[in-house]
Amino acid sequence: MKNLLTLAIIILVVSCTAQEEKSELKLWYDRPAETWNEALPVGNGRLGAMVFGGVSQDRIQFNEETLWTGAPNDYAHEGAVNYLEEIRQLLVEGKQDKAHELAMKEFMSIPLNQKEYQPFGDLFLYFPEHVEYSDYHRELDISHAICRTSYVVNEVQYSREILASYPDQLLVIRVSADKKGTLNFALKLGAEHKESSLETLDGLQVLSVAVEGGALKGRAGVRVETDGRLVNEGDNISIKGASSATLYLSAATNFVSYQDVSGDPLARMETYLEESRGKSFKEIKEAHVSDFHRLFNRFSLDLGNNGRDSLPTNQRLLKFAEAPDDPSLIALYTQYGRYLMISASREGTQPANLQGIWNKDLKPAWGSKYTVNINTEMNYWPAEVTNLSECAEPLFKLLEECAETGVNVAREHYGADGWVLHHNTDLWRGTAPINHSNHGMWVSGSGWLSHHLWEHYLFTRDLDFLRDRAYPLMREAATFYSQYLVEDPGTGWLISTPSNSPENGGMVAGPTMDHQIIRSLYQACIEAAGILDTDSEFASLLQDQVSRIAPNQIGQYGQLQEWLEDVDDPENKHRHISHLWGIHPGKDINWESSPELMEAARQSLLFRGDEGTGWSLAWKINFWARLLDGDHAYELIKLQFRLVSSENTNYMGGGGSYPNLFDAHPPFQIDGNFGAPAGIVEMLIQSHLSTIDLLPALPSALPDGKISGVCARGGFELSFSWKDGKLQEVEVLSKAGETCYLRYGDHFREFKTEKGKFYKLDGEINLQ
Ligand code: FUC
């Protein structure tokens, strides 16, 4: 018995070590990060950190997701509605400049701009004795959510591990030496906020910050446990003659909700630190890894491996540009997207903003807030399909809050019921039009985001969610549009005005995208009302409007028209391609019911060209997947993997990836890190129409592979493999007991399922 137990333990240890050694799911480098875009991200949804892995000095730059500029504020512009008709009339008369001007004066958010996400501070570690070193290695192990740095000085190996624990709500750093008593280092917290101070106690340092001119304050504390000696030296805590030290880093703010900032940051910060007292690094790490695995391990993707993971990740990107045949980099990138989602968006946290939760700048690009004319939505594209449904919860919470603030904006700006969200929101849930009327006047943020609620239902078939949370918000979003749409004097169609086609061409009447979004929302509401057996009168009102909303139109160049009038410029290379919303993420336009519109969409996409910012490239992967052209989608993957120098912050130069695989907008913007994985999966499985389609847009560069735990609408979870471009085996788990409609090439299979049961099929989708 005892022998058996020993054997079992040995097997367990060996297999764990083998797991940890597996390099496929690692980003790794042979030198420290010199810039932020080389540093590696960890996060627990609330706290995020960028780890530089320096030798004589390490920098761990950290964030707490609720530290923003500003204070609770209702951004609505009282009385804006009095100018609505005049703005509409100016557009009818073709006086766009005058319409912009009047809207700037009378219609925009108060204040005009929303607030910004802030960095919190830095934890610096100083190792003055570590100058000459060898065997340097740093990595981000995304299958365990641990970042490691190691090197050798004077024949001693020094190692650091850092993780962001969701169960313990801390960043925890383990510093160790493999020879007893050889670890000497100092640490210090710091911040760039004008108002910041440090207090150094016994084995504890506390950093206080206050955001300039705003309501938010933060406290961070680092507590040290070590087998060495602790000495306070000026602003540093020094650790001497140790073998190891564990640093527990906690941070909190006074933010309670978008209306309430009465929290006590010190008490909160201390609570997390106190709760970790007596817990060893090992214990915290085990709880962290098992929490992370619960989400991460549900899905896997194997596209083959040709050994390029032996190259540092930045060099691997360079190599991909020369020889784009590194399938395990594509799998790594897909899983990295899932890693970033689990690290940036967990139940009870804020949703992932433009930079997830990782931001170093007091003046971040676009405020690192929530832009909802593509970016925030894209952040959540992989959530349902790659089996991370719970990670979308913060987005639903944001929607619920915007549906509160958006009521006043609907009333004050449009005299309408329901709620509306324009193209941006922030921590304070601003919903009014911001920045400039030439792009801020766009009413479809609420409609697009509501789509995510419906999609959550389609994937999970969670009826309680649909009844209690999704439908009420969808209904009120639709209520707004039902009162806002007006009859176009020229065509008689119902159109959206004033609005714009993000962010192309300024304020107009009747951009195609709005109509696609509103029509889809109406259709979802009608279906939901039917399922819930409610609101039949409202459903028929929407049904009547659906048939009157301006339709998709094909223009003079065979393109899908971006606007009501046929004025598209075939030379226009704008990064936004909003009128293709109807093919993705919408499904208004598809090969089954509207092939001629699909052709027109393809023409528009060809005119726009492949180049773009990070998210634009990522969206195009999804478009080409929906157009069923996997090889063209693969061309976009190549651009997404284009290595962008960490110095490059000019978005007009085109997107790609930074050395740490962060999406280069440029500068860094996280949307592409989520949009591209969603697109990669969209090449392998689609379920937006009446069937689940397997390998619908498989690129010839990915002939062999296996995907497991991928989700499809209808409450299904699938695993399947392919070889030489042909489907091999399929397993379907039915989570909702619905009839399954599968399609692979010319093969079609329909079968009834029972909830909780697995179904096996062969490569021609015959049930086994
Ligand atoms: C929209 C885009 C920009 C950028 C910003 C955050 O304004 O047009 O490219 O992504 O959002």
Side-chain angles (χ1 to χ4, degrees), residues 316-540:
R316 212 171 160 184
L317 288 172
L318 284 175
K319 188 85 189 161
F320 200 93
E322 266 167 45
D325 55 347
D326 184 357
S328 79
L329 181 61
I330 298 174
L332 174 72
Y333 192 90
T334 307
Q335 289 286 28
Y336 189 47
R338 297 183 69 246
Y339 166 83
L340 292 171
M341 168 141 332
I342 302 169
S343 306
S345 183
R346 296 292 300 267
E347 284 158 282
T349 72
Q350 296 295 316
N353 64 41
L354 286 172
Q355 297 185 187
I357 40 169
W358 299 279
N359 166 39
K360 66 177 185 331
D361 298 319
L362 289 168
K363 287 258 158 249
W366 282 283
S368 190
K369 46 192 192 295
Y370 300 97
T371 305
V372 298
N373 63 14
I374 173 65
N375 318 83
T376 305
E377 288 89 350
M378 181 177 280
N379 282 1
Y380 286 91
W381 286 351
E384 303 293 345
V385 72
T386 73
N387 220 329
L388 292 176
S389 205
E390 302 92 318
C391 292
E393 172 55 35
L395 181 72
F396 303 149
K397 177 90 187 313
L398 172 139
L399 252 104
E400 280 162 348
E401 295 171 348
C402 288
E404 290 166 7
T405 59
V407 167
N408 200 25
V409 173
R411 196 186 307 122
E412 289 298 331
H413 292 242
Y414 301 96
D417 299 318
W419 67 284
V420 63
L421 166 59
H422 292 80
H423 98 293
N424 246 285
T425 189
D426 61 2
L427 186 71
W428 313 111
R429 304 308 185 232
T431 47
I434 65 160
N435 296 353
H436 196 287
S437 56
N438 65 8
H439 67 278
M441 296 283 291
W442 177 74
V443 289
S444 294
S446 33
W448 189 345
L449 280 168
S450 295
H451 191 72
H452 283 244
L453 297 164
W454 176 238
E455 287 283 310
H456 181 76
Y457 167 74
L458 293 180
F459 273 94
T460 61
R461 291 299 199 256
D462 181 343
L463 210 53
D464 293 338
F465 177 85
L466 181 66
R467 185 191 316 103
D468 303 336
R469 297 186 68 190
Y471 181 68
L473 295 185
M474 290 160 57
R475 184 193 198 285
E476 291 309 298
T479 297
F480 168 78
Y481 297 117
S482 70
Q483 298 177 15
Y484 155 84
L485 293 177
V486 292
E487 220 173 77
D488 174 42
T491 60
W493 290 325
L494 287 182
I495 60 162
S496 162
T497 178
S499 193
N500 85 105
S501 190
E503 302 172 6
N504 189 16
M507 201 201 297
V508 293
T512 301
M513 178 197 229
D514 281 8
H515 303 145
Q516 294 172 343
I517 290 176
I518 297 167
R519 223 179 354 250
S520 292
L521 173 67
Y522 280 11
Q523 272 150 349
C525 284
I526 294 165
E527 223 182 298
I531 295 166
L532 298 170
D533 195 15
T534 183
D535 272 349
S536 57
E537 232 173 87
F538 182 63
S540 35

Side-chain angles (χ1 to χ4, degrees), residues 92 215 421 670 733:
V92 170
L421 166 59
I670 207 161
L733 165 63

